[in-house]
């Protein structure tokens, strides 16, 4: 044993290490996520979000966000080992100035009407429940021309891009980017079950950048009324890129699901850790045996391969996002219903 310890010390000077001492940690029998199950109650954190608005302007902060940091990933600014998430506030009259970066971002709007985000030359007004994307390397800025604070949930693929050391960011020379197309242009071009006869779309990400809640919510309601129902997930749909049928963004999968009042879902699990946000209703998520009760705008995390059991005491809508597209592309995704 002493011989070995001495050997390890001597080889460490040459930056060598014996695999046999770390093999089980490197290749565990099943996922052992550092990410912990966790729920943030919106009622509890909303006062802090508003307080941040009295302490710093959006301009000074660049982005005024309270990061949702997973307790299993201290000092990481991450919500799962593959994803970043936070709650962003923009007050009436403020502008969050334009920039772009290689990280892809999503927004899920929680409260307030009438703020806009501009992405790649077009503005869209944000309404609660809207799902908005900011694809990699697209200019984006936000502004609030309404009379009320606007809060949304951000999700970014920060650690995925960091894994590859492929981070780039750039500031736009002015506060707001040049607007090149009228509001609603992308929707007319790409979200009307048609597409322009000739076009050039260079990105993998969807050309649609606002998926309005009214549209998605109505689809879920119609399908539920007609009897669509998954025993584990209720009526769950994924947001797509209409050009390919693939994911809205290449690194982050996004979903919206409707649970009927009284839903008691079967336990299920998957290797993609997911962030859920309640759009409406109330219910509970039992994650690896631990129960979390959720209501409007609460956010909770389900770690990789932990059993999830969803129930709803009122008709409820959950938005969620995960690293599923990456795992699928790499033949890594596993899922099962118990
Ligand atoms: C970012 O650009 C935004 O544009 C929000 O609203 C959060 C977190 C990390 C890096 C960039 C935004 C972000 C971010």
């Amino acid at each position: 044993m002493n011989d070995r310890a001495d050997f390890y010390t001597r080889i460490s000077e040459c930056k060598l290490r014996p695999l046999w001492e770390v093999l089980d940690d490197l290749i565990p029998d099943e996922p052992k996520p550092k990410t912990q199950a966790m729920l943030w109650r919106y009622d509890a954190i909303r006062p802090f979000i508003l307080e941040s608005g009295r302490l710093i302007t959006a301009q000074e902060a660049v982005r005024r966000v309270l990061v949702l940091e997973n307790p299993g990933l201290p000092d990481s600014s991450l919500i799962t080992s593959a994803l970043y998430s936070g709650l962003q506030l923009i007050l009436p009259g403020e502008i969050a100035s334009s920039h772009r970066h290689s990280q892809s971002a999503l927004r899920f709007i929680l409260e307030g009407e009438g703020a806009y985000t501009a992405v790649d030359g077009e503005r869209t007004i944000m309404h609660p429940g809207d799902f908005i994307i900011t694809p990699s390397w697209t200019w984006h800025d936000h502004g609030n021309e309404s009379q009320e604070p606007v809060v949304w949930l951000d999700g970014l693929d920060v650690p995925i891009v960091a894994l590859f050391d492929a981070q780039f960011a750039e500031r736009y020379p002015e506060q707001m980017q040049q607007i090149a197309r009228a509001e609603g242009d992308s929707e007319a071009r790409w979200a009307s079950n048609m597409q322009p006869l000739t076009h050039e779309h260079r990105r993998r990400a969807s050309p649609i950048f606002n998926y309005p809640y009214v549209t998605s919510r109505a689809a879920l309601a119609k399908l539920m009324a007609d009897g669509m129902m998954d025993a584990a997930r209720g009526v769950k749909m994924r947001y797509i890129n209409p050009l390919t049928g693939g994911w809205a963004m290449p690194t982050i999968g996004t979903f919206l699901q409707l649970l009927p009042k009284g839903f008691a879902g079967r336990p299920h699990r998957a290797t993609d850790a997911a962030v859920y946000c309640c759009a409406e209703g109330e219910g509970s998520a039992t994650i690896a045996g631990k129960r979390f009760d959720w209501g409007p705008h609460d956010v909770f995390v389900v770690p990789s391969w932990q059993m999830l059991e969803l129930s709803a005491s009122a008709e409820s809508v959950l938005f969620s996002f995960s690293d599923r597209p990456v795992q699928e592309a790499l033949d890594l995704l596993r899922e099962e219903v118990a």
Side-chain angles (χ1 to χ4, degrees):
M1 203 57 219
N2 255 354
D3 284 353
R4 287 188 190 173
D6 176 61
F7 176 68
Y8 299 164
T9 307
R10 283 183 288 114
I11 66 171
S12 74
E13 278 154 33
C14 296
K15 302 295 166 208
L16 296 170
R17 167 193 286 272
L19 175 62
W20 58 89
E21 292 289 340
V22 292
L23 188 55
D24 288 347
D25 289 339
L26 287 184
I27 316 282
D29 293 341
E30 58 174 44
K32 298 217 171 10
K34 291 199 180 86
T35 304
Q36 289 174 18
M38 163 87 189
L39 178 140
W40 287 264
R41 282 206 66 89
Y42 192 66
D43 286 348
I45 59 180
R46 187 176 186 276
F48 294 131
I49 296 169
L50 295 177
E51 192 177 340
S52 75
R54 296 190 290 274
L55 288 171
I56 192 164
T57 61
Q59 185 160 12
E60 190 190 346
V62 182
R63 294 296 185 266
R64 191 203 290 110
V65 178
L66 296 186
V67 176
L68 300 168
E69 187 177 75
N70 192 285
L73 305 164
D75 300 318
S76 65
S77 302
L78 300 179
I79 192 160
T80 74
S81 47
L83 294 167
Y84 158 102
S85 191
L87 291 162
Q88 181 160 174
L89 168 69
I90 184 153
L91 291 169
E94 287 190 321
I95 293 168
S97 57
S98 205
H99 67 188
R100 62 179 177 178
H101 37 69
S102 41
Q103 294 84 356
S104 300
L106 67 85
R107 334 268 166 214
F108 185 70
I109 315 309
L110 299 186
E111 62 169 300
E113 297 267 358
Y116 68 83
T117 188
V119 179
D120 198 24
E122 185 180 334
R123 268 191 190 187
T124 188
I125 300 289
M126 304 191 272
H127 306 281
D130 289 358
F131 158 59
I132 291 166
I133 65 169
T134 305
S136 177
W137 210 240
T138 53
W139 294 113
H140 55 284
D141 44 86
H142 321 297
N144 185 349
E145 293 172 350
S146 83
Q147 301 305 311
E148 42 187 306
V150 172
V151 180
W152 64 78
L153 178 73
D154 283 317
L156 285 91
D157 57 4
V158 169
I160 299 175
V161 179
L163 175 66
F164 302 113
D165 284 330
Q167 307 98 323
F168 292 92
E170 193 178 0
R171 280 189 159 220
Y172 196 75
E174 291 144 61
Q175 213 181 18
M176 278 187 273
Q177 69 181 288
Q178 210 86 50
I179 296 302
R181 294 180 307 281
E183 194 180 327
D185 185 279
S186 297
E187 189 179 10
R189 273 176 210 257
W190 313 106
S192 310
N193 296 318
M194 294 190 287
Q195 55 179 258
L197 197 57
T198 59
H199 65 80
E200 197 184 296
H201 187 71
R202 319 139 311 273
R203 275 196 294 269
R204 219 173 243 276
S206 173
I208 298 174
F209 72 111
N210 187 348
Y211 295 74
Y213 191 59
V214 284
T215 311
S216 317
R217 178 71 176 86
L220 296 177
K222 160 77 177 158
L223 292 168
M224 190 161 87
D226 294 349
M228 185 197 269
M229 188 54 57
D230 179 277
R233 306 167 190 91
V235 181
K236 187 167 183 177
M237 306 273 277
R238 62 184 185 90
Y239 292 94
I240 64 158
N241 173 347
L243 294 182
T244 62
W247 302 95
M249 292 190 287
T251 48
I252 313 178
T254 46
F255 311 84
L256 196 70
Q257 75 196 103
L258 178 60
L259 308 176
K261 180 180 161 75
F263 183 74
R266 282 177 54 186
H268 59 294
R269 61 180 178 174
T271 50
D272 58 329
V275 179
Y276 284 78
C277 179
C278 172
E280 50 177 289
E282 57 179 25
S284 72
T286 303
I287 306 166
K290 189 170 170 191
R291 178 176 156 162
F292 299 88
D293 292 322
W294 45 260
H297 306 158
D298 293 353
V299 178
F300 61 94
V301 188
V302 183
S304 167
W305 212 233
Q306 293 191 1
M307 225 26 116
L308 168 65
E309 232 177 300
L310 287 172
S311 65
S313 49
E315 183 172 274
S316 300
V317 180
L318 296 175
F319 170 80
S320 58
F321 64 96
S322 80
D323 50 42
R324 182 165 290 228
V326 181
Q327 292 204 29
E328 278 188 354
L330 303 180
D331 285 348
L332 294 174
L333 187 79
R334 288 200 198 191
E335 59 180 329
E336 65 178 32
V337 177

